[in-house]
Amino acid sequence: RTCTHTLLFAQLITPDGTNHGLHGFLVPIRNPDTLETYPGLIVGDMGEKIGVNGIDNGFIMFNQYRIPRENLLNRTADVTEEGVYESSFSDPSKILGAALENLSAGRIGIMQESCHSIASAVAIAIRYAATRTQFGERDNEISLIEYELHQWRLFGYVAAAVVFRMYIENFSRVYLSIVEKSNAGMKVDNLSEAVSEIHAMVSCSKPLLTWTVLSAAQQCREACGGHGYLKSANLGDIRSNHEATVTYEGDNNVLSQQTGNWLLRQFHAARSGGAVDSPLNTVTFLMDWQRWLGAKFRCTKTDELKSREFITTTYRWLICYLLKQTHEKYESEIAKGLTKFEARAKSQVYKWRDLTKTYAEYLAIIFFLESLDKKEKSLQPVLTKLFSLYGLWSLDQHLVELYQGGYSQGESLARLLREAVLELCSELKGEVVGVVDALAPTDFVLNSVLGKSDGNLYQNIQKAFFSHPGAFERAPWWRDVVSLPRSKI
Amino acid sequence: RTCTHTLLFAQLITPDGTNHGLHGFLVPIRNPDTLETYPGLIVGDMGEKIGVNGIDNGFIMFNQYRIPRENLLNRTADVTEEGVYESSFSDPSKILGAALENLSAGRIGIMQESCHSIASAVAIAIRYAATRTQFGERDNEISLIEYELHQWRLFGYVAAAVVFRMYIENFSRVYLSIVEKSNAGMKVDNLSEAVSEIHAMVSCSKPLLTWTVLSAAQQCREACGGHGYLKSANLGDIRSNHEATVTYEGDNNVLSQQTGNWLLRQFHAARSGGAVDSPLNTVTFLMDWQRWLGAKFRCTKTDELKSREFITTTYRWLICYLLKQTHEKYESEIAKGLTKFEARAKSQVYKWRDLTKTYAEYLAIIFFLESLDKKEKSLQPVLTKLFSLYGLWSLDQHLVELYQGGYSQGESLARLLREAVLELCSELKGEVVGVVDALAPTDFVLNSVLGKSDGNLYQNIQKAFFSHPGAFERAPWWRDVVSLPRSKI
């Protein structure tokens, strides 16, 4: 309610009636001295939200509202004093792309925030699991963390928290070095191809991270039972505030479609024997797509599945398979006479959508592995286990496609993969508290009665309940609800 | 904070030192005239929660607190004046079971509530999808409901809302008729077997319904985008208030284990050539478990998969397969020397847990089908489509086991099943608004700016924003944030 200017995307129509599509404008909406809105505008607040209520969201309605020509953000295109449109881009669709590209930084910021949110959520749930005892043999109650089901519910998210953090650290470094060079006017090889690849990477990774963190927060809440449902556990607020990220800065379902466009272009190039434009090297392997598609599952021991070779090979097979499926589906819809827009809409479910998710998981894995090799030797064993768990726990979601596409037949793939996941959970049990201690913020920032680093769960809960204002007082209106003795006279 | 008595489950220890396990007691905690707590108790409020804040949750700590012997709830067991324990049950584990059995009614109530919650959530999201336009060819924006991805995200939950409602209506009728007869002192055939079967049914159905409704509410929120994130959409409150149900009245992960105990007992009986105790007829088919396990996928057209024969046969195969897997896993852990408790804990993930979920889905399907045949002819076509969609949309989650267990090989099962799901989505597009209109409460109860039955989405949103108190006013502290001109003197 104190906003004086807004950055607005709107259609740019020049005096000759031509619509040049969406452009960015800087629009004054309130007088900075009085905070009154300007005539021609209806500006108001949209009211309370599920979370993020520290930031207001407003609406604006425009009625014949005029702004100066100079308020067009004109880095990619401008309008002269004579009303003539000028752009350094020849393809109109590229102009919008160039303007929207600035959103990548915001999306990377969301991913960094998401890494903090999942770290907090798993820290609370793992510390609770290690200290909360329930059931057991006879009178010996055991900690929740001893139960395989509880490990399986949580440890995959701990692994995701670590893999995502190292992925985003590594990727941010790559991204910023390109931005810095470009802003400094230095030459960046294949800049426009790199920008496209980064856009494709961000457009599927933001959905993968924000959705995974959302389900992590939910699973962590449930794993803390009724205590997790207390506001003082902080899992509800972590979840509600995080939830907005799956929608803003590009709704996940819509944004990830961008990645599919780029991947299909690269696949098309590879199929036609052309070059794959992948300066960041994320899909160079598509040049050999037929060889990758020929891969078959041949493991006989769980240790083989835990290896980086198995996990990366299987992901490459999956990406090639889903690219082929998506491509064929799209082309078959075009052949039926559908427009490109319609054909794309009919290729999302089970195809395009799964493809972009798979590619995002693959990105997390390869960027993590690159960082892993540079870490201290002493950290590598636990990080390797977390990597294997994340990889197999994620591949578990793609078993149908692995069977459907003939990567494997029979029972051994699903059985071995799932046995490996449970073995890794068991192997990580002793280390997982240390892992979340490394990820978690301070107790003050974590702000959870269940997740304090001292491990004194029961005392901390008692203290929180006892110090709650009015915890032991009668309600002020207590006299209204008791049936007081009345005079018999 | 006005509670005067509590129903408490606690260990009953008689003067001879014997612990008879958990029993129910009626315990006075506050003086009804003054609402002061009694000496020996520390009673307080647990503070704010994620939802359901209209009901307070408290804690009690007991220190040498005495209550009269008569306050033992003594329907199943009593203690004489001389301190001697007496029970009509010979097996101590049965005593607790009999006391806990009263919780079934509460769990059925939760399922009925859940049916209302999912009806509200899908009504809001479907009405929004039908009226909200976004993207399209050139300047023609189209409704969200036209997008296959959007249909697929929502219609499965619409089908679940209908199937669950008819399942729970039918099941409640069966349950209440048994309770009424039993309470009236009439003879009920196989009463104790029926009670066990009902307990098994409720213990997996409450988890299935509450979890499905929770993810429905979340998907509906996301499908309404940023508008869904507004408090005035009501999807946040529907979700937060519903969320507690996955934890209370038996945490879903723990409660559903009860169903596995019962199913494994029936499977054991069937394997030993004995009788399956299933007076409600839900697992009588286990008598032929070997025949069901011999079933193979042989369909070649999507219409065959949409049939009730395919769906029920496939579920029976799945239940038999998962029973066999769970049984073998459990026995192999016992053979390794684990205790029953440990072996059970090691059989949950991918086995026991999947088994009970599958059985719950099967229950919804068979109880729905029984009701379907009694409905008006004019309703049967749309209800049949909703049934097929629910069945196949649910089976989609079990494709891995269908491949792993050899029910099918090759690509056709997954391909045909998923094609059938998308065909059903497309076929239901024209009817789904009518379906949610039939399910939804009145606009006043629905209380959502996005889901009003008049379909005037944009006008309703505008009206809500405009009538928000203070929507157009400056913040009271506006003078504190503007840089006022200062006197130059």
Side-chain angles (χ1 to χ4, degrees):
Chain A
R1 295 200 275 163
T2 56
C3 165
T4 56
H5 292 74
T6 183
L7 172 56
L8 182 81
F9 279 92
Q11 311 277 358
L12 171 60
I13 303 173
T14 38
D16 60 359
T18 313
N19 184 342
H20 301 278
L22 285 178
H23 286 69
F25 300 88
L26 188 69
V27 182
I29 60 165
R30 283 193 182 92
N31 182 326
D33 293 331
T34 65
L35 295 187
E36 295 281 7
T37 55
Y38 291 118
L41 297 180
I42 301 176
V43 180
D45 188 75
M46 292 169 81
E48 198 180 337
K49 305 185 295 294
I50 288 177
V52 201
N53 280 303
I55 298 170
D56 289 338
N57 289 75
F59 64 90
I60 311 178
M61 298 167 82
F62 297 90
N63 187 6
Q64 300 290 330
Y65 189 69
R66 296 177 64 89
I67 57 169
R69 185 180 58 89
E70 288 74 21
N71 289 26
L72 170 65
L73 297 177
N74 64 352
R75 204 180 75 179
T76 54
D78 206 352
V79 176
T80 66
E81 276 186 51
E82 292 73 34
V84 178
Y85 183 80
E86 289 178 342
S87 170
S88 49
F89 290 84
S90 50
D91 179 353
S93 73
K94 292 271 170 67
I95 303 172
L96 179 60
L100 295 180
E101 199 34 57
N102 294 306
L103 299 174
S104 272
R107 291 174 187 141
I108 293 172
I110 289 174
M111 292 194 273
Q112 290 165 339
E113 278 278 358
S114 295
C115 289
H116 296 310
S117 300
I118 193 173
S120 295
V122 296
I124 296 167
I126 291 293
R127 287 171 178 172
Y128 184 81
T131 46
R132 169 70 163 162
T133 58
Q134 272 193 317
F135 304 112
E137 308 258 16
R138 289 168 304 274
D139 290 341
N140 299 316
E141 285 199 316
I142 58 175
S143 299
L144 295 177
I145 206 169
E146 299 295 333
Y147 293 95
E148 188 178 74
L149 175 59
H150 210 79
Q151 295 166 9
W152 177 76
R153 288 168 64 191
L154 293 177
F155 291 5
Y157 290 113
V158 176
V162 173
V163 169
F164 288 166
R165 179 165 294 200
M166 282 172 61
Y167 164 37
I168 296 305
E169 272 176 11
N170 189 0
F171 175 61
S172 301
R173 209 160 25 227
V174 172
Y175 172 77
L176 288 175
S177 80
I178 292 176
V179 170
E180 275 171 28
K181 275 192 202 167
S182 168
N183 286 353
M186 292 163 69
K187 180 170 158 44
V188 182
D189 290 338
N190 305 309
L191 179 60
S192 118
E193 289 78 8
V195 167
S196 294
E197 186 166 16
I198 287 170
H199 179 67
M201 294 169 70
V202 168
S203 298
C204 63
S205 297
K206 181 262 189 184
L208 173 68
L209 266 73
T210 55
W211 267 329
T212 306
V213 175
L214 185 61
S215 54
Q218 180 61 27
Q219 187 60 264
C220 289
R221 197 300 283 163
E222 292 183 29
C224 295
H227 286 147
Y229 197 65
L230 292 170
K231 188 175 171 66
S232 55
N234 203 24
L235 288 163
D237 284 346
I238 289 172
R239 195 204 157 287
S240 296
N241 289 325
H242 171 76
E243 182 180 338
T245 65
V246 307
T247 297
Y248 65 44
E249 292 291 315
D251 176 273
N252 281 0
N253 282 289
V254 179
L255 182 62
S256 57
Q257 297 184 21
Q258 304 269 325
T259 306
N261 291 337
W262 182 81
L263 283 172
L264 284 165
R265 273 208 309 278
Q266 307 316 315
F267 185 59
H268 184 75
R271 285 176 62 252
S272 339
V276 169
D277 280 335
S278 180
L280 277 78
N281 208 18
T282 66
V283 292
T284 318
F285 72 89
L286 285 183
M287 304 289 275
D288 295 321
W289 67 277
Q290 279 164 311
R291 184 168 69 81
W292 290 111
L293 264 186
K296 292 276 177 212
F297 177 73
R298 304 205 189 284
C299 302
T300 54
K301 295 195 193 70
T302 53
D303 278 352
E304 299 168 56
L305 282 88
K306 295 174 192 167
S307 70
R308 63 170 76 184
E309 289 71 27
F310 171 77
I311 292 170
T312 51
T313 300
T314 307
Y315 265 104
R316 287 178 178 193
W317 182 92
L318 267 173
I319 292 169
C320 292
Y321 173 73
L322 288 166
L323 265 170
K324 189 160 173 288
Q325 290 275 305
T326 307
H327 166 77
E328 287 170 2
K329 171 72 175 169
Y330 177 82
E331 291 300 330
S332 78
E333 298 295 341
I334 292 285
K336 284 183 203 158
L338 266 58
T339 65
K340 286 181 182 181
F341 178 84
E342 292 163 342
R344 199 168 95 146
K346 288 284 272 184
S347 308
Q348 294 301 320
V349 186
Y350 302 124
K351 315 274 191 214
W352 199 297
R353 189 173 166 280
D354 294 8
L355 167 65
T356 58
K357 178 169 185 286
T358 305
Y359 173 62
E361 289 164 2
Y362 175 71
L363 291 174
I365 280 167
I366 58 173
F367 274 75
F368 173 90
L369 284 176
E370 197 180 62
S371 291
L372 174 64
D373 295 334
K374 296 174 192 154
K375 293 278 175 196
E376 303 92 296
K377 276 271 173 301
S378 62
L379 290 176
Q380 296 203 0
V382 65
L383 289 174
T384 300
K385 275 184 249 176
L386 290 163
F387 159 77
S388 301
L389 179 57
Y390 176 74
L392 296 175
W393 178 78
S394 300
L395 280 174
D396 193 5
Q397 304 300 313
H398 303 293
L399 281 172
V400 174
E401 289 71 34
L402 293 172
Y403 278 117
Q404 185 182 5
Y407 182 71
S408 179
Q409 289 193 344
E411 53 80 53
S412 69
L413 169 62
R415 176 173 54 77
L416 287 171
L417 190 145
R418 291 172 166 186
E419 279 176 15
V421 166
L422 294 178
E423 283 173 14
L424 286 161
C425 285
S426 171
E427 290 168 25
L428 280 162
K429 190 185 77 178
E431 295 169 304
V432 75
V433 173
V435 171
V436 301
D437 282 351
L439 289 174
T442 63
D443 286 355
F444 178 78
V445 172
L446 193 60
N447 193 25
S448 169
V449 66
L450 306 184
K452 290 196 192 300
S453 55
D454 61 12
N456 295 320
L457 174 67
Y458 293 95
Q459 294 94 322
N460 288 326
I461 292 180
Q462 182 178 334
K463 178 162 180 293
F465 289 168
F466 279 31
S467 53
H468 184 68
F472 297 113
E473 287 168 27
R474 287 179 290 184
W477 33 261
W478 71 271
R479 281 174 209 276
D480 300 337
V481 293
V482 297
S483 44
L484 292 171
R486 284 157 194 265
S487 164
K488 293 280 168 59
I489 306 168
Chain B
R1 296 200 275 164
T2 56
C3 166
T4 56
H5 293 74
T6 183
L7 172 57
L8 182 81
F9 279 92
Q11 311 277 357
L12 171 59
I13 303 173
T14 38
D16 60 359
T18 313
N19 184 342
H20 301 278
L22 285 178
H23 286 69
F25 300 88
L26 188 70
V27 182
I29 60 165
R30 282 193 183 92
N31 182 325
D33 293 331
T34 64
L35 295 187
E36 295 281 8
T37 55
Y38 291 119
L41 297 179
I42 301 176
V43 180
D45 188 74
M46 292 169 80
E48 198 180 336
K49 304 185 297 293
I50 289 177
V52 201
N53 280 304
I55 298 170
D56 289 337
N57 289 75
F59 64 90
I60 311 178
M61 298 167 82
F62 297 90
N63 186 6
Q64 300 290 330
Y65 189 69
R66 297 177 63 88
I67 56 168
R69 185 179 57 89
E70 288 74 21
N71 288 26
L72 170 65
L73 296 177
N74 64 352
R75 204 180 75 179
T76 54
D78 206 351
V79 176
T80 66
E81 275 186 52
E82 293 73 33
V84 177
Y85 183 80
E86 290 179 341
S87 170
S88 49
F89 290 84
S90 50
D91 179 353
S93 73
K94 291 272 170 67
I95 303 173
L96 179 60
L100 294 180
E101 199 33 58
N102 294 307
L103 298 174
S104 272
R107 291 174 186 141
I108 294 173
I110 289 174
M111 292 194 274
Q112 290 165 339
E113 278 279 358
S114 295
C115 289
H116 296 309
S117 299
I118 193 173
S120 294
V122 297
I124 295 167
I126 291 293
R127 287 171 178 171
Y128 184 81
T131 46
R132 169 70 163 163
T133 57
Q134 272 194 317
F135 304 111
E137 310 258 15
R138 289 168 304 273
D139 291 341
N140 299 315
E141 286 199 316
I142 58 175
S143 299
L144 295 177
I145 206 169
E146 299 295 332
Y147 293 95
E148 188 177 73
L149 176 59
H150 210 79
Q151 295 166 9
W152 177 76
R153 288 168 64 191
L154 293 177
F155 292 5
Y157 290 113
V158 176
V162 172
V163 169
F164 288 167
R165 179 165 294 200
M166 281 171 63
Y167 164 36
I168 297 304
E169 272 176 11
N170 190 0
F171 175 60
S172 301
R173 210 162 23 229
V174 172
Y175 172 77
L176 288 175
S177 80
I178 292 175
V179 171
E180 275 171 28
K181 275 191 201 168
S182 168
N183 287 353
M186 292 162 69
K187 181 171 158 41
V188 181
D189 291 338
N190 306 309
L191 178 59
S192 116
E193 288 79 8
V195 167
S196 294
E197 186 165 17
I198 287 170
H199 179 67
M201 294 168 70
V202 169
S203 298
C204 63
S205 297
K206 181 261 190 186
L208 173 68
L209 265 73
T210 55
W211 267 329
T212 306
V213 175
L214 185 61
S215 54
Q218 180 61 27
Q219 186 61 264
C220 289
R221 198 300 283 163
E222 292 183 30
C224 295
H227 286 147
Y229 197 66
L230 292 170
K231 187 174 171 67
S232 55
N234 203 25
L235 288 164
D237 284 346
I238 289 172
R239 196 204 156 287
S240 296
N241 289 325
H242 171 76
E243 182 180 337
T245 65
V246 307
T247 297
Y248 65 44
E249 292 291 315
D251 176 272
N252 281 0
N253 282 288
V254 179
L255 182 63
S256 57
Q257 297 184 21
Q258 303 270 325
T259 306
N261 291 337
W262 182 81
L263 283 172
L264 285 166
R265 275 209 307 279
Q266 308 315 315
F267 185 59
H268 183 76
R271 286 176 61 252
S272 338
V276 169
D277 279 335
S278 180
L280 277 78
N281 209 18
T282 66
V283 292
T284 318
F285 72 89
L286 286 183
M287 304 289 274
D288 295 321
W289 67 277
Q290 280 164 310
R291 184 167 70 81
W292 290 111
L293 265 186
K296 292 275 177 214
F297 176 73
R298 303 204 189 286
C299 302
T300 54
K301 296 196 193 69
T302 53
D303 278 351
E304 299 168 56
L305 282 88
K306 294 174 193 168
S307 70
R308 62 170 76 184
E309 289 70 27
F310 171 78
I311 292 170
T312 52
T313 300
T314 307
Y315 265 104
R316 287 178 178 193
W317 182 93
L318 267 173
I319 292 169
C320 292
Y321 173 74
L322 287 166
L323 266 170
K324 188 159 173 289
Q325 290 275 304
T326 307
H327 166 78
E328 287 170 1
K329 171 72 174 167
Y330 177 81
E331 291 300 330
S332 79
E333 298 295 341
I334 291 285
K336 285 184 203 158
L338 266 58
T339 65
K340 286 182 183 179
F341 178 83
E342 292 163 342
R344 198 167 95 146
K346 289 284 273 184
S347 308
Q348 294 301 319
V349 185
Y350 301 125
K351 314 275 192 214
W352 199 296
R353 189 173 167 280
D354 294 8
L355 166 65
T356 58
K357 178 169 186 286
T358 305
Y359 173 62
E361 289 164 2
Y362 176 71
L363 291 174
I365 280 167
I366 58 173
F367 274 75
F368 174 90
L369 284 176
E370 197 180 64
S371 290
L372 174 63
D373 294 334
K374 296 174 192 153
K375 293 278 175 196
E376 303 91 298
K377 276 271 172 302
S378 63
L379 291 176
Q380 296 203 0
V382 65
L383 289 173
T384 300
K385 274 184 251 177
L386 290 163
F387 159 78
S388 302
L389 178 57
Y390 176 74
L392 296 175
W393 178 79
S394 300
L395 280 174
D396 194 5
Q397 304 300 313
H398 302 294
L399 281 172
V400 174
E401 289 71 34
L402 293 172
Y403 278 117
Q404 185 182 5
Y407 182 70
S408 179
Q409 289 192 343
E411 53 79 54
S412 69
L413 169 62
R415 178 174 52 79
L416 287 171
L417 190 145
R418 291 171 166 186
E419 280 177 15
V421 166
L422 294 179
E423 284 174 14
L424 287 162
C425 285
S426 171
E427 290 168 25
L428 281 162
K429 190 185 78 177
E431 295 169 305
V432 75
V433 173
V435 171
V436 301
D437 282 351
L439 289 174
T442 63
D443 285 355
F444 178 78
V445 172
L446 193 59
N447 193 27
S448 169
V449 66
L450 306 184
K452 291 197 192 300
S453 55
D454 61 12
N456 294 321
L457 174 67
Y458 293 94
Q459 295 93 323
N460 289 325
I461 291 179
Q462 182 178 335
K463 178 162 179 293
F465 289 168
F466 279 32
S467 53
H468 184 67
F472 297 112
E473 287 168 28
R474 287 179 289 184
W477 33 262
W478 71 270
R479 280 175 209 276
D480 300 337
V481 293
V482 296
S483 45
L484 292 171
R486 286 158 193 264
S487 164
K488 293 278 165 63
I489 307 168

